[in-house]
């Protein structure tokens, strides 16, 4: 027989997750139509950028960061046969073409340079000065070209009353009016690298007290899907693992765990309590299943911060149920 707190948790999650899913599904459907029109127009004018077709099921190019904030990856065309380079060299260039007295900083974390020579096959357009500096495909230059194409596509497709450009960052952001309200989109040109796994992306090691998930065989299968390089910064490309994340999400509880419930609980707490509003500091990207145990540790720290500040008692009982049951489920699963 279920305890009262478990019933409250299940009811709360069911209601909130269903409501969230319905809201996002409607918004994604409307956003897809806009993105399909814009990218089709862009692809007609510049062969380097692919059109994103409308999908009646899951669209892997649209990632929900928050209910009103999406990341849209726009695949590029004409770069094939990727290989990692061992060459180490300093870069002294700027986007304006001047020389720096000191070299640019090296990429950190899940970032990297991208050289045209890393591809066995490439379109001649990628060698042009509008995106290439000294053999590097520079994300800021790619974004400059892409931004101009997006602006022109909005006008050509007569979407000015529905779509507007946001100019507060180097990345390409759009505000799209939907029946669910305004949704902000980041459009990021993406270099897809299939059948390879970056050496920078080390798989996490689970503590011995926890059940290993996913299995070693599943890890190798996930790695075979490869990764993606996103243009979101000035000089360095950002590594992304959308397909790997999706596979993990689909099989979160294949070993009988409670990761999906933990993930849903944290995501709901994030949106309702920690980071409410249209532009949250923490998005669903920070709560990915690959970091679920680390995120749970962060979850506990935030709970204690709320308690010590007196804010905890102001929250609805359902959120307190989420906190208690999530912690117990994690400890119960760790003992198996």
């Amino acid at each position: 027989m279920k305890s009262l707190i478990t019933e409250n948790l299940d009811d709360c999650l069911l209601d909130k997750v269903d409501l969230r899913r319905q809201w996002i599904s409607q918004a994604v459907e409307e956003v897809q139509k806009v993105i399909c029109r814009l990218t089709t127009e862009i692809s007609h004018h510049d062969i380097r950028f692919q059109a994103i077709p409308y999908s009646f099921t899951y669209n892997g190019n649209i990632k929900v960061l928050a209910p009103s904030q999406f990341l849209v990856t726009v695949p590029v065309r004409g770069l094939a046969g990727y290989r990692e380079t061992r060459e180490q060299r300093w870069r002294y260039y700027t986007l304006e073409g001047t020389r720096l007295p000191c070299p640019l900083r090296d990429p950190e974390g899940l970032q990297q340079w991208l050289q045209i020579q890393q591809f066995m096959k490439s379109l001649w357009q990628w060698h042009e000065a509008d995106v290439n500096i000294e053999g590097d495909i520079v994300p800021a230059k790619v974004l400059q070209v892409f931004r101009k194409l997006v602006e022109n596509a909005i006008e050509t497709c007569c979407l000015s009353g529905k779509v507007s450009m946001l100019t507060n960052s180097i990345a390409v952001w759009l505000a799209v009016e939907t029946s669910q309200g305004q949704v902000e989109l980041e459009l990021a040109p993406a270099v897809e690298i299939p059948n390879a796994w970056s050496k920078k992306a080390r798989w996490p090691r689970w503590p011995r007290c926890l059940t290993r998930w996913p299995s070693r065989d599943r890890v190798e299968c996930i790695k075979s899907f490869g990764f993606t390089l996103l243009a979101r910064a000035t000089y360095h490309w950002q590594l992304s693992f959308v397909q790997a994340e999706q596979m993990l999400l689909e099989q979160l509880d294949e070993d009988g765990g409670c990761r999906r419930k933990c993930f849903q609980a944290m995501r709901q707490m994030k949106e309702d309590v920690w980071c409410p509003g249209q532009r949250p500091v923490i998005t669903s990207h920070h709560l990915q299943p690959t970091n679920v145990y680390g995120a749970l540790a962060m979850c506990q720290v935030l709970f204690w911060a709320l308690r010590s500040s007196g804010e905890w008692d102001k929250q609805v009982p359902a959120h307190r149920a989420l906190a208690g049951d999530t912690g117990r489920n994690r400890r119960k699963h760790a003992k198996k």
Side-chain angles (χ1 to χ4, degrees):
M1 186 175 180
K2 286 186 176 182
S3 64
L4 180 60
I5 195 169
T6 304
E7 290 180 355
N8 288 342
L9 171 67
D10 291 340
D11 291 343
C12 175
L13 279 180
L14 184 62
D15 292 343
K16 286 184 172 291
V17 169
D18 283 348
L19 187 62
R20 183 183 189 275
R21 184 182 294 114
Q22 292 173 15
W23 197 98
I24 290 177
S25 294
Q26 181 62 36
V28 167
E29 183 178 352
E30 296 180 36
V31 164
Q32 273 200 97
K33 296 176 181 178
V34 172
I35 294 302
C36 180
R37 292 178 62 184
L38 290 177
T39 55
T40 299
E41 180 65 25
I42 289 170
S43 184
H44 287 162
H45 288 274
D46 195 323
I47 193 176
R48 289 175 292 190
F49 301 99
Q50 297 185 37
I52 300 176
Y54 181 87
S55 175
F56 291 95
T57 55
Y58 171 74
N59 191 324
N61 295 104
I62 299 179
K63 183 179 179 64
V64 179
L65 302 178
S68 57
Q69 195 176 79
F70 300 168
L71 170 64
V72 181
T73 55
V74 182
V76 301
R77 184 187 289 112
L79 295 171
Y82 174 85
R83 55 197 171 189
E84 289 196 345
T85 180
R86 297 180 181 179
E87 178 190 3
Q88 299 291 330
R89 65 182 179 89
W90 301 111
R91 273 88 168 171
Y92 293 89
Y93 58 73
T94 65
L95 300 180
E96 294 75 24
T98 57
R99 301 290 294 180
L100 296 171
C102 298
L104 293 168
R105 68 174 179 85
D106 284 333
E108 301 174 354
L110 295 179
Q111 295 181 330
Q112 70 167 66
W113 303 105
L114 188 62
Q115 302 176 51
I116 192 67
Q117 68 178 19
Q118 289 181 254
F119 297 93
M120 298 177 65
K121 296 180 180 180
S122 58
L123 287 174
W124 63 267
Q125 287 91 335
W126 291 110
H127 297 256
E128 293 294 291
D130 63 345
V131 296
N132 194 310
I133 302 179
E134 298 181 6
D136 287 339
I137 303 175
V138 183
K141 300 283 282 184
V142 175
L143 286 168
Q144 287 176 0
V145 173
F146 186 65
R147 178 186 295 275
K148 187 63 177 177
L149 291 167
V150 172
E151 291 175 349
N152 293 338
I154 292 174
E155 295 294 330
T156 304
C157 296
C158 301
L159 291 172
S160 300
K162 187 179 182 67
V163 181
S164 58
M165 296 284 297
L166 302 178
T167 58
N168 55 351
S169 71
I170 190 172
V172 178
W173 282 88
L174 302 180
V176 180
E177 298 296 333
T178 72
S179 60
Q180 305 297 311
Q182 188 181 86
V183 176
E184 294 186 356
L185 313 177
E186 179 185 359
L187 273 61
V191 181
E192 297 178 343
I193 313 294
N195 305 318
W197 193 260
S198 174
K199 294 180 180 179
K200 286 195 169 188
R202 297 181 179 179
W203 206 264
R205 294 182 179 180
W206 301 121
R208 292 183 178 181
C209 62
L210 300 179
T211 303
R212 182 183 177 86
W213 174 85
S215 66
R216 287 184 173 85
D217 291 341
R218 183 56 53 82
V219 168
E220 293 305 315
C221 176
I222 290 172
K223 286 183 176 181
S224 68
F225 283 90
F227 63 102
T228 305
L229 296 173
L230 301 181
R232 305 180 74 183
T234 306
Y235 296 105
H236 306 138
W237 291 78
Q238 179 182 318
L239 278 71
S240 174
F241 307 91
V242 175
Q243 285 186 294
E245 292 167 1
Q246 184 59 29
M247 281 195 66
L248 289 172
L249 280 171
E250 291 174 354
Q251 299 159 351
L252 267 181
D253 296 333
E254 63 179 349
D255 61 350
C258 60
R259 300 179 192 90
R260 184 174 299 279
K261 184 178 289 187
C262 292
F263 178 71
Q264 291 172 340
M266 286 190 297
R267 185 180 63 190
Q268 205 62 51
M269 287 289 290
K270 171 191 73 69
E271 294 175 2
D272 292 350
V273 182
W274 302 333
C275 299
Q278 194 169 12
R279 298 182 182 180
V281 177
I282 300 176
T283 68
S284 295
H285 177 74
H286 300 99
L287 303 179
Q288 290 300 336
T290 47
N291 298 318
V292 68
Y293 288 112
L296 279 170
M298 179 189 71
C299 182
Q300 289 183 327
V301 171
L302 287 170
F303 287 144
W304 281 111
L306 283 171
R307 285 181 184 275
S308 62
S309 66
E311 290 296 317
W312 181 257
D313 293 328
K314 299 178 184 179
Q315 308 306 329
V316 296
H319 286 127
R320 303 175 72 174
L322 291 179
D325 201 69
T326 298
R328 276 190 295 277
N329 277 336
R330 184 176 66 88
R331 291 193 295 271
K332 180 180 178 182
H333 184 59
K335 293 178 182 178
K336 292 183 179 180

